[in-house]
Amino acid sequence: MMRNVHLVPEDEDDIYSGYNDYNPQFDEDIDNDEGFQQAVKTSHGRRPPPTASVKPVLGAGPRPLGTAAQRMKTGMVSSMGRPTTGAQEGVARPMTAVRAAGYSSAPRGMQFDPLNQAKGPAPPLEAKAEDSPEEKVKQLEKKVMELVEESCMANSRAEFSLALEKAKEAGRQERQLVRQREQLASGEQINLDLTYSVLFNLANQYAANEMYNEALNTYTVIVKNKMFSNAGRLRVNMGNIYFKQRNYAKAIKFYRMALDQVPTAHKEMRARIMQNIALVFIRMGQYSDAVTTLEHVMNEKPDFKSGFNLILCYFALGDREKMKKTFQRLLNCALNIDDEDKYLPHPDDKHYNMILEVIRNDTLRQMEREKKTYAEKCIMAAAKVIAPAIESSFAAGYDWCVEQVKTSPSFLEMANDLEINKAIMYLKQKDFNQAVETLKSFEKKDSKVASTAATNLSFLYFLENEIGQADKYAEVAMTADRYNPSALVNKGNCVFMQGEHERAREFYQEALRNDSTCTEALYNLGLTYKKIGRLEDSLDCFLKLHAILRNSAQVIYQIADLYDLLEDTAQATEWFMQLIGVVPTDAFVLARLGEIYDNEGDKTQAFQYHYESFRYFPSNIEIIEWLGAYYIDSQFCEKAIHYFERAAVIQPSQVKWQLMVASCHRRSGNYQQALETYKEIHSKFPENVECLRFLVRLCNDLGLKEAQDYATKLKKAEKARELREQRASSGSRRGSGRGIREHSAGSDRASSADSGRGGSGGSRGGSARAGSASRGGSARSGSGRMRLPDSNEPYEATRREVDASYVDPLGAAAERPKTAARQRGQQPEDEFGDEELGDDLLPD
C-alpha cells in the first residue's frame, strides 16, 4: 500500500516536487468520463453530482473508482466533493475555492507568500479625532480616576487635607462627566463603579479629617442608592463614626443593620462586626451583653482579640471560673501560621537554603511574626489581669497560668516568660527578696532563659548599689548569651561605676554591634564619652539617639548641655527651648536657660525664666537669691524683701537672709521696721558682729539710747571672735588637722551659699550639672549667676582688724534732710526743750 507514496529525497530542495504526480489507477476509463473531460477543458466547469462519496485509496483494491456518470444519479456535488448550493442541473458554476492556500501552478522560483505580506505593511489605523465627544468623555473619566488615586496616596502619607481636596475635585469632575454623558444621550453608559469609588473615597477623607457630619451624609447617599450593590456594608463605617462621637446607641444600631446585610457565609466579616458591637457594650458598661456577643464570636470564629476582651468582661463581672475557662480557650486559638521548622537551614540542600534566605524575612514572614507577637501579648496581658483574681494571691494565680501555658503546645515557651513576669510583679510590690529568689530559679535552665533572668538580677543588684553582685550576674548573663545587648549594657554600667570608663565604652559599643537599636547602650555611650571629655563624640551619640527618640527629654537635655559645654550658646539656647516645649514645667531647665541669658547679658530674658522657675519650684535657694539680687540691682528693694523672707523661712539658721531683709527695709527708708528686724536677729544670734554693727549705726542715726549698750556688746563680740581666730590659727600651725572654724552661724557667706547651691542643683542636674559647673575658663566662670555683693561687705566672714564702721551692703543710702539734723555738741534736751513728746510724734 505504501509503494505508491512519494517520499522527498534528502537532496531535493523543493519539498513540493512531485505534487502533480498521480496514481496510474486513475487512468482507468478516464477518457470516457464526460464529467472529467469537461472539468479538464475548463477550470470553471461544473461536475455532475456523484452517486457515492469519493474516497481515493492509495494502492490497488477490489473496489472500482466511482465515475461522474454514477454521481449524477444521486445528487449535485461539486468537483471537490462538496454539495452545491442552489445551482441548476447542467449549468456550470464558477469554481472559486478549488486552489489550496499557498499552492499554485506557478513555475518554481516564485516566493511562497500565503498571507500576501510581500505587498508591504498595512496602512496605519485611522486616528480618532481628539475633539470628539466620546474621546472627551474617556479623557475626563481617566482624569477622575487619577484624582481618586492621588487622594488615596495622600491619605496614606497622612496628608489628610490634600487628600480631601483631591477627593472633592474628583467629585466635581465626576459630576461634570455625568452631565456630558447625559448630553450625548448615553445615560445607560454611566459608570456606576466610578461614581461609587468617588463617593466612597470622599466619605473616607471626610472621616479622616474628622468632618464626621459630612462623612455621614456622603455615606447616606451611597447606602440609599439601590443601584450600588453591597453598599449596605458601609453602615459599619457609619457605626465607627458614631462610636468616635460617643453616640453608642446609634453605633450599635448601624452595626446591627450592617450585620443583617452580610451573608452567613462571610463568617470573618460577621465576626468583626460583632466584635465592634461587643466593644460598644463594654464602653457602655453593659458587660453581660458584651459577654453574650463575644461568646457567640468565640463559638463561630475564635480569635485572640475576642478571647482577651471576653476575659476582661468576666474580670469586670468577677466570675473566676469563667475567667479560667476563657483563658484556656484563649490558649487553644489557632495561630494559622507555618511551623518554625520551615525556616531552619538544611545543610545538604543548597537550593532550599537559597530559597530560605529569600523567605526568611519577607513580608509574609513579618506578618507571621506580628500575629504571633500579638497572640503572646494577649496571653501575657490576660495572665497579668486574672492572676490576682482567680486565686487567693497573685503568686498562686501566676502558678496556675504557668501550668496552663505549659500544657499548650503552641505557647510552651511562654511559661518562662510568665515566671519572669511574676518576678517583675514582686518588684512592683516592693518584695525584692521574692523577686530575687524567683529569678535565681532560672540559673540552671536553658541558656536564653538563664540569660534573661541573670540580666534582671544584675539590674536589681545595680539598683541596690551592690556593684559586685551586679557584676557577677552580668557575667553570668554574658556567658549564657554573649549576644544579649542588655547583659552587655549591665556589664558596662558596673565597670563604669568602678571608674573604668574605657572598658565601659567597649561594652557599650559591643552591645550596639549586636543590636543597633539598643537605646540604653547608645545613651550610656554618650555619657561615657562626656565623662572622659570627648564632647564631640558624645554629641554625635546623642544626636543619633534623638533621631530614634524624638521627644525624649533626657536626650534633648544632654544635647543642650553639650552645646553649652562646647560654648555654642546659640545652639544650646535653641535645644533648651525645644526641651521646654517637651517639659514646660521643669524648674531646673528654666533656671538653666535663664542662666544662659544672664551670661549673655540679657537680664530681661534671664529674669523671665528665673521667675518661671521660681513659680514651679519656689524652694530653690539659688533662684530666690538671684531674684532678690535682681530686684536690688533694679532699685526695687521692697520686692526683694519677699524673696529674702522666703529664704529665711527655708533656712532659718542662716542669718544672712534675715540681715538682707533688714537691709532692704533700711534701703527703702523704713528705718523703724529695719530696727525691729535687727533686734529680732540679735535676740536669735547675740554674738553676730554684723547685726551689732547695724544696730549701733542705726541707733546713732535715730538718736536712741540703746546705741551705747549695743556698742559695748559689739566690742565683746569682736574680742570673742579674735580669740576664736587665734585658737584656730594656732591649732592649724601645730598640724592638728582641724580646719578653721566658722566665726558665727552666718558669718561666712560664701561657704553657706555654695553649700546651698550644691544641695539644690546637684540633685536635679546630675552629672551633666556637675560637668557644666566644672568648666574652667568659660564665660560662665567669669560672670556666673547674679550674686549679692560679697567682696567688701560686712556679710562676709573677714579676718581684718575690728572696725565698727558701717557699710551698707545695698549701697549708700539717700542723704537725709539737713533741717532735722542734730549738732554734735548740743544736748538732746535742747532740741525739744521741756516739752513732752506726744504719742503721735513717736515713730511707728
Side-chain angles (χ1 to χ4, degrees):
M1 183 174 179
M2 297 296 294
R3 66 177 178 271
N4 295 321
V5 177
H6 176 73
L7 300 176
V8 178
E10 295 179 357
D11 56 350
E12 188 173 356
D13 296 330
D14 191 3
I15 63 175
Y16 297 108
S17 62
Y19 178 76
N20 293 326
D21 295 343
Y22 63 94
N23 195 325
Q25 292 183 1
F26 288 103
D27 292 341
E28 181 182 355
D29 212 17
I30 289 178
D31 295 337
N32 298 325
D33 190 345
E34 297 178 358
F36 182 79
Q37 294 297 330
Q38 183 69 22
V40 171
K41 292 178 181 179
T42 172
S43 62
H44 300 288
R46 187 179 188 83
R47 298 184 63 184
T51 58
S53 61
V54 179
K55 293 183 180 179
V57 180
L58 297 178
R63 183 176 180 182
L65 187 65
T67 62
Q70 294 173 341
R71 288 192 294 269
M72 290 287 291
K73 300 178 182 179
T74 57
M76 298 292 292
V77 181
S78 68
S79 61
M80 296 301 292
R82 297 183 303 175
T84 59
T85 57
Q88 296 181 357
E89 185 175 354
V91 179
R93 174 175 175 266
M95 301 185 66
T96 58
V98 295
R99 187 175 69 179
Y103 302 97
S104 69
S105 58
R108 295 183 179 180
M110 296 294 290
Q111 184 180 3
F112 175 68
D113 189 15
L115 300 177
N116 294 325
Q117 295 179 352
K119 296 180 181 180
L125 298 176
E126 182 180 359
K128 292 184 178 181
E130 295 183 358
D131 56 349
S132 62
E134 292 80 4
E135 190 66 21
K136 289 182 179 180
V137 168
K138 289 184 178 179
Q139 291 296 330
L140 189 57
E141 190 175 80
K142 182 179 179 181
K143 184 178 180 181
V144 172
M145 283 304 302
E146 290 177 353
L147 287 171
V148 172
E149 292 175 359
E150 291 175 2
S151 175
C152 295
M153 294 302 295
N155 183 280
S156 66
R157 298 190 301 267
E159 299 175 0
F160 301 122
S161 299
L162 178 60
L164 180 59
E165 291 298 326
K166 295 290 184 181
K168 289 181 178 180
E169 180 64 23
R172 288 190 290 267
Q173 296 292 338
E174 194 273 335
R175 288 191 293 272
Q176 183 179 352
L177 174 64
V178 172
R179 287 194 295 269
Q180 289 191 10
R181 286 189 182 277
E182 291 176 353
Q183 291 176 2
L184 294 175
S186 58
E188 67 279 358
Q189 298 180 2
I190 294 177
N191 192 344
L192 291 177
D193 293 337
L194 181 62
T195 305
Y196 180 86
S197 301
V198 170
L199 291 175
F200 180 60
N201 179 63
L202 180 60
N204 283 337
Q205 304 311 328
Y206 276 134
N209 285 272
E210 297 183 357
M211 302 172 65
Y212 296 131
N213 293 330
E214 292 81 354
L216 289 172
N217 294 335
T218 309
Y219 279 128
T220 303
V221 171
I222 300 175
V223 169
K224 290 186 176 181
N225 194 334
K226 302 300 182 182
M227 301 178 68
F228 296 141
S229 60
N230 298 325
R233 300 180 183 181
L234 295 182
R235 288 190 171 88
V236 176
N237 294 11
M238 301 175 72
N240 293 339
I241 292 176
Y242 283 121
F243 182 82
K244 291 179 181 179
Q245 293 180 336
R246 304 194 178 202
N247 192 346
Y248 299 130
K250 281 194 173 182
I252 292 177
K253 174 184 176 182
F254 277 88
Y255 285 146
R256 286 176 172 171
M257 291 171 66
L259 185 65
D260 293 339
Q261 296 189 2
V262 176
T264 55
H266 298 174
K267 291 184 178 181
E268 185 172 357
M269 182 175 289
R270 291 179 64 87
R272 290 188 177 184
I273 296 175
M274 295 187 73
Q275 285 178 357
N276 290 357
I277 295 174
L279 289 176
V280 177
F281 280 133
I282 292 175
R283 285 295 184 91
M284 298 173 66
Q286 301 179 11
Y287 300 112
S288 300
D289 296 333
V291 164
T292 304
T293 306
L294 291 172
E295 285 284 0
H296 181 75
V297 174
M298 291 295 290
N299 293 330
E300 293 292 329
K301 192 173 180 61
D303 64 294
F304 292 96
K305 183 177 180 181
S306 301
F308 179 70
N309 289 334
L310 186 57
I311 288 176
L312 293 180
C313 291
Y314 282 130
F315 178 80
L317 295 173
D319 195 334
R320 294 186 177 184
E321 295 301 324
K322 290 294 182 66
M323 279 190 278
K324 290 183 177 181
K325 182 178 179 182
T326 308
F327 186 77
Q328 293 172 344
R329 294 171 66 183
L330 186 66
L331 293 174
N332 294 328
C333 291
L335 279 173
N336 296 324
I337 60 175
D338 293 335
D339 191 6
E340 293 291 335
D341 297 338
K342 172 184 175 180
Y343 300 98
L344 296 177
H346 291 194
D348 300 332
D349 193 346
K350 295 183 178 179
H351 180 68
Y352 182 80
N353 291 336
M354 293 176 62
I355 297 175
L356 187 62
E357 290 296 329
V358 178
I359 68 174
R360 181 170 293 173
N361 198 31
D362 61 351
T363 307
L364 181 60
R365 177 61 173 161
Q366 293 175 2
M367 185 184 71
E368 290 177 349
R369 287 200 193 102
E370 291 176 358
K371 290 181 64 176
K372 187 174 182 180
T373 303
Y374 180 75
E376 292 176 351
K377 181 180 178 181
C378 289
I379 294 173
M380 188 70 70
K384 290 180 182 179
V385 170
I386 68 174
I390 58 178
E391 299 292 344
S392 57
S393 65
F394 91 94
Y398 261 106
D399 293 338
W400 183 87
C401 293
V402 170
E403 293 299 326
Q404 295 301 319
V405 170
K406 287 181 179 179
T407 60
S408 175
S410 301
F411 305 100
L412 181 61
E413 66 277 3
M414 287 191 62
N416 295 324
D417 296 337
L418 282 174
E419 288 282 357
I420 293 177
N421 192 66
K422 178 182 175 182
I424 295 174
M425 291 298 295
Y426 278 126
L427 288 178
K428 291 182 178 179
Q429 296 182 356
K430 309 299 182 182
D431 194 348
F432 296 102
N433 295 329
Q434 288 291 337
V436 171
E437 290 180 5
T438 305
L439 292 173
K440 284 183 177 179
S441 64
F442 290 95
E443 292 183 4
K444 297 182 180 180
K445 293 190 177 181
D446 61 305
S447 60
K448 183 178 180 181
V449 178
S451 177
T452 303
T455 301
N456 290 333
L457 281 171
S458 175
F459 178 70
L460 279 176
Y461 284 121
F462 186 83
L463 292 180
E464 294 179 350
N465 203 24
E466 297 182 14
I467 307 301
Q469 289 292 330
D471 192 15
K472 170 188 172 182
Y473 282 101
E475 287 287 351
V476 172
M478 291 169 57
T479 304
D481 184 5
R482 183 67 185 185
Y483 298 97
N484 185 354
S486 300
L488 292 168
V489 170
N490 287 343
K491 180 64 176 179
N493 292 342
C494 293
V495 298
F496 184 92
M497 295 299 295
Q498 294 169 0
E500 303 179 19
H501 301 126
E502 289 296 333
R503 285 190 62 200
R505 177 180 62 84
E506 294 175 0
F507 283 115
Y508 296 144
Q509 289 177 340
E510 185 178 355
L512 286 173
R513 286 194 295 270
N514 295 337
D515 184 6
S516 60
T517 62
C518 184
T519 56
E520 295 85 358
L522 189 57
Y523 187 89
N524 292 348
L525 181 62
L527 290 180
T528 305
Y529 279 133
K530 185 177 179 181
K531 187 71 174 179
I532 62 180
R534 297 169 59 177
L535 301 182
E536 295 290 347
D537 294 333
S538 177
L539 181 61
D540 184 58
C541 291
F542 285 115
L543 288 174
K544 290 179 181 178
L545 190 58
H546 178 66
I548 302 173
L549 307 174
R550 303 296 298 180
N551 295 323
S552 174
Q554 293 84 355
V555 175
I556 298 176
Y557 171 78
Q558 294 295 340
I559 295 173
D561 185 61
L562 284 168
Y563 275 122
D564 193 20
L565 293 175
L566 292 169
E567 300 184 6
D568 191 346
T569 307
Q571 287 290 337
T573 303
E574 180 181 350
W575 282 97
F576 273 122
M577 292 296 292
Q578 292 186 25
L579 181 57
I580 290 175
V582 177
V583 281
T585 60
D586 193 310
F588 174 75
V589 175
L590 292 167
R592 186 71 179 276
L593 190 56
E595 182 180 349
I596 292 175
Y597 280 117
D598 189 18
N599 294 335
E600 292 296 314
D602 191 347
K603 298 296 182 180
T604 304
Q605 289 288 345
F607 170 75
Q608 177 183 350
Y609 287 107
H610 277 96
Y611 183 74
E612 289 294 322
S613 176
F614 173 76
R615 286 181 56 227
Y616 293 116
F617 186 35
S619 300
N620 191 340
I621 293 295
E622 187 177 359
I623 302 301
I624 293 173
E625 181 182 1
W626 191 95
L627 290 171
Y630 172 81
Y631 279 119
I632 291 175
D633 288 347
S634 302
Q635 303 298 323
F636 292 103
C637 299
E638 298 85 353
K639 293 185 178 180
I641 293 173
H642 168 71
Y643 297 100
F644 291 133
E645 286 179 346
R646 180 178 291 273
V649 172
I650 297 172
Q651 293 182 348
S653 61
Q654 295 292 331
V655 68
K656 64 176 181 178
W657 306 121
Q658 301 180 39
L659 291 174
M660 293 304 300
V661 172
S663 297
C664 289
H665 283 303
R666 177 176 175 79
R667 186 76 175 87
S668 60
N670 193 350
Y671 301 108
Q672 188 64 32
Q673 185 65 37
L675 179 62
E676 295 296 331
T677 306
Y678 282 128
K679 288 181 178 180
E680 292 178 3
I681 297 172
H682 178 65
S683 63
K684 295 178 182 178
F685 305 96
E687 295 182 357
N688 188 269
V689 176
E690 286 76 13
C691 180
L692 289 172
R693 287 178 182 172
F694 298 152
L695 284 171
V696 171
R697 178 61 183 274
L698 193 59
C699 290
N700 288 330
D701 291 344
L702 296 177
L704 300 179
K705 296 180 180 180
E706 293 92 338
Q708 189 63 34
D709 296 337
Y710 289 128
T712 305
K713 293 180 181 180
L714 175 61
K715 291 179 180 180
K716 292 181 180 179
E718 289 174 346
K719 289 181 180 180
R721 188 172 69 175
E722 285 180 358
L723 292 175
R724 286 195 299 268
E725 289 176 357
Q726 290 176 1
R727 292 170 185 170
S729 60
S730 61
S732 62
R733 284 194 300 269
R734 288 194 303 268
S736 61
R738 293 175 298 177
I740 300 176
R741 298 180 181 178
E742 294 181 350
H743 307 301
S744 62
S747 61
D748 194 344
R749 178 185 180 278
S751 61
S752 62
D754 291 342
S755 63
R757 291 189 193 90
S760 60
S763 61
R764 298 180 62 83
S767 61
R769 179 67 177 166
S772 175
S774 63
R775 173 162 52 94
S778 64
R780 184 184 307 172
S781 61
S783 60
R785 285 188 172 274
M786 181 180 293
R787 299 178 183 273
L788 297 174
D790 57 358
S791 59
N792 55 357
E793 308 249 346
Y795 302 132
E796 181 181 359
T798 59
R799 297 193 177 101
R800 58 182 182 268
E801 295 298 328
V802 178
D803 185 10
S805 62
Y806 168 77
V807 179
D808 197 334
L810 303 181
E815 189 175 1
R816 295 177 59 189
K818 300 295 184 179
T819 55
R822 184 182 73 248
Q823 296 181 2
R824 290 187 178 273
Q826 187 177 2
Q827 294 297 328
E829 292 79 6
D830 297 338
E831 182 174 353
F832 296 99
D834 296 333
E835 297 179 4
E836 294 182 358
L837 297 176
D839 295 339
D840 56 340
L841 298 179
L842 294 177
D844 294 335

